[in-house]
Amino acid sequence: MFGFFGKRRRAELRAAPFPEAWAVVLDGLPLVRELSAEDRRVLEGHVAVFVADKHFEGAGGLELDDEQCVVIAAQACLLLLGQDVDEPYPSLDTVLVYPRTWRTHASRTEDGLVHEREERRSGESWKRGLVILAWDEVRRGATDEDDGQNVVLHEFAHQLDTALGDRKSTRLNSS
């Protein structure tokens, strides 16, 4: 029953006029400017649903605004174009955004020895419910389409991989 209401709410979000301020943000993204009018319309619908459904949270002192959320949502939803999608990234609950790359301690075991080191991170994609991004890298990736680096596309590709893996294992287990 809740699925029906969620689907209806997403349809209403897609049918509503896309906010003009958000359209201006999309106009500033080179990858979006290259889209056909139909793909742009589909992307706007995905963005509207994504921003409404996902919890965006600033970390490390960052206070997020609508523009930042739309930039992230637009890049994430580019990966959904051409797919039959009602709910963008259904396993994702939260997008956590730091102002810049952050440092974390990482360890790995190799040949029985534990190696620890400090690493800089610009993004992480967790299997269930969370993507973490560094805003400085999000902004750079959104505006420089030729450098081959885009943290949002990278981390949300992991989200798609996880979803595909879940569908494969579900299909295999149900046989």
Side-chain angles (χ1 to χ4, degrees):
M1 181 159 90
F2 291 115
F4 168 77
F5 292 113
K7 188 175 185 88
R8 189 170 79 186
R9 185 173 111 356
R10 289 187 293 275
E12 290 169 357
L13 286 166
R14 284 187 168 89
F18 195 70
E20 183 60 33
W22 292 12
V24 170
V25 172
L26 295 186
D27 290 340
L29 303 176
L31 291 173
V32 174
R33 284 194 306 259
E34 296 174 13
L35 294 176
S36 68
E38 175 61 17
D39 283 345
R40 169 76 182 242
R41 186 191 62 73
V42 171
L43 179 69
E44 288 176 354
H46 288 335
V47 168
V49 170
F50 189 101
V51 171
D53 283 355
K54 307 309 176 195
H55 174 72
F56 287 84
E57 186 173 334
L62 180 65
E63 292 187 32
L64 289 172
D65 59 26
D66 281 355
E67 179 179 352
Q68 291 167 308
C69 296
V70 170
V71 166
I72 292 166
Q75 292 177 85
C77 291
L78 280 169
L79 296 173
L80 304 176
L81 292 176
Q83 299 181 44
D84 185 19
V85 173
D86 173 55
E87 182 178 1
Y89 303 99
S91 296
L92 179 70
D93 299 318
T94 301
V95 178
L96 182 66
V97 186
Y98 283 93
R100 63 194 61 78
T101 57
W102 68 94
R103 295 178 190 269
T104 186
H105 293 286
S107 64
R108 64 176 168 71
T109 304
E110 186 177 303
D111 297 327
L113 295 173
V114 176
H115 301 274
E116 293 189 12
R117 67 175 191 254
E118 189 172 85
E119 292 181 348
R120 293 185 68 85
R121 298 275 172 92
S122 59
E124 291 182 3
S125 176
W126 295 24
K127 284 189 177 199
R128 293 282 182 227
L130 179 66
V131 168
I132 308 171
L133 301 166
W135 175 247
D136 61 342
E137 292 296 316
V138 169
R139 187 177 50 237
R140 189 173 60 76
T143 56
D144 188 352
E145 65 182 318
D146 295 322
D147 71 352
Q149 297 181 12
N150 185 306
V151 69
V152 176
L153 295 179
H154 179 91
E155 299 307 337
F156 279 89
H158 285 305
Q159 288 289 306
L160 290 176
D161 286 344
T162 298
L164 181 59
D166 288 347
R167 276 187 266 148
K168 281 183 181 176
S169 64
T170 301
R171 239 181 286 139
L172 291 173
N173 292 333
S174 64
S175 301

